[in-house]
Amino acid sequence: MARLTSPTAGARPWRAVVLGCAAIYFLLPLASSVLFTVDVPGQGVNADAYTKIFSTDGFTRSLLLSLGLAAVTIAVVLALMVPAMVTLRLRAPRLRPVVEVICSLPLVVPPIAFVAGIGTVLRWGPDHLARTPFFETFVQIQNPSFPIVLVLAYTVMALPFVHRALDAGLRAIDVRTLVEAARSCGAGWPQALVRVVLPNLRRSLLNASFLTLALVLGEFTVAQLLGFQPFAVWIVSVSGEQAQLSVAVSVLSLLLTWALLLTLASFSGGRAASHATTKE
């Protein structure tokens, strides 16, 4: 009698090899960075680089600025994309390729060219709008304490990631049936969107939010060339004076990003499991 074998049995050794290579590829540089931060010549192992992080000038200010920019960027990009994607799927499905191409443009345009265009507009505004009410707008969006211009730039840069996350979520549900059922029960369009569609897009919204957060926390080029100092720019500025401290901050930010990713994965998994249990 022939023995039946699972089709995945032969792939298991290769999975271990691939996962092992990936672990070495990602963990070896991280381990080297941690060793660099704690190995002080002549003193042995020392964790001063990590204990000095929170007391270093500019750390709290730059981190809070980046987190604030990330929160506002997430709110703006979701407020723009969620109604647009749902309307596109219900009313104009033929325009989906056009919207996909438009949302993918930030991946094609180099950040240098992108920030050069922003800088040109910011320099052009005060010269031509000095005697109009819009002059004050150009001043306010460049306020160093909270530069709105970075929010606008990050919103554009986050479009490809948010579009992909929301598109995957909308493909997994029957939006038309959900909206029609809500409208037949007397719900208006905003109420149907908030109380029916958004709960079914919870995982996609979380994925889009996390990707936007990671983008804002790690973005350097646009902020540096426009003359602002969020978290990523502060790390680079510190690296010229305190190399160990800058690497320690980078390691800490990487671990924080991983922790947020694991939290997101566990939160999404827990929601999905509870939803499946409710259905049963």
Side-chain angles (χ1 to χ4, degrees):
M1 184 175 179
R3 178 179 297 178
L4 298 177
T5 58
S6 172
T8 60
R12 289 176 182 174
W14 289 106
R15 290 179 182 176
V17 173
V18 171
L19 291 176
C21 293
I24 294 175
Y25 179 80
F26 287 105
L27 295 180
L28 186 59
L30 180 61
S32 301
S33 301
V34 174
L35 181 62
F36 173 76
T37 58
V38 299
D39 185 16
V40 180
Q43 300 182 16
V45 178
N46 194 326
D48 287 345
Y50 292 95
T51 58
K52 293 179 181 178
I53 290 178
F54 300 99
S55 60
T56 303
D57 183 38
F59 169 78
T60 303
R61 182 178 64 254
S62 61
L63 180 59
L64 291 178
L65 175 60
S66 291
L67 292 177
L69 291 172
V72 177
T73 303
I74 290 171
V76 171
V77 73
L78 290 182
L80 291 174
M81 290 299 295
V82 172
M85 294 290 292
V86 174
T87 305
L88 186 69
R89 194 168 186 85
L90 293 176
R91 304 289 178 85
R94 294 183 179 181
L95 295 179
R96 287 171 56 189
V98 178
V99 175
E100 183 175 359
V101 170
I102 294 175
C103 291
S104 301
L105 286 179
L107 298 177
V108 180
V109 179
I112 297 296
F114 180 58
V115 72
I118 296 176
T120 301
V121 174
L122 294 179
R123 289 191 298 270
W124 171 87
D127 295 335
H128 295 79
L129 303 175
R131 298 182 179 180
T132 66
F134 295 101
F135 175 77
E136 190 65 26
T137 302
F138 273 83
V139 174
Q140 291 300 323
I141 65 174
Q142 301 178 71
N143 188 346
S145 61
F146 194 85
I148 303 296
V149 64
L150 288 184
V151 173
L152 301 177
Y154 293 157
T155 299
V156 175
M157 297 172 67
L159 286 179
F161 312 105
V162 176
H163 174 268
R164 288 295 182 184
L166 295 179
D167 185 63
L170 290 172
R171 288 175 183 270
I173 62 176
D174 190 350
V175 182
R176 187 176 300 276
T177 302
L178 291 174
V179 173
E180 290 179 354
R183 297 297 299 271
S184 64
C185 293
W189 165 247
Q191 190 176 11
L193 177 64
V194 174
R195 304 190 62 179
V196 177
V197 178
L198 291 185
N200 288 278
L201 291 177
R202 183 183 294 110
R203 181 173 297 183
S204 297
L205 294 174
L206 289 174
N207 291 338
S209 300
F210 174 79
L211 292 173
T212 305
L213 174 65
L215 170 69
V216 175
L217 289 180
E219 201 287 320
F220 170 80
T221 305
V222 175
Q224 169 68 16
L225 293 180
L226 290 180
F228 303 107
Q229 194 178 57
F231 192 55
V233 178
W234 177 82
I235 293 177
V236 176
S237 64
V238 171
S239 64
E241 303 175 357
Q242 306 179 55
Q244 282 188 320
L245 178 64
S246 66
V247 176
V249 174
S250 301
V251 171
L252 182 63
S253 63
L254 180 61
L255 295 177
L256 177 62
T257 304
W258 283 0
L260 290 173
L261 178 60
L262 293 175
T263 303
L264 174 64
S266 61
F267 181 78
S268 299
R271 289 288 187 179
S274 62
H275 184 63
T277 304
T278 304
K279 280 187 174 182
E280 293 178 358

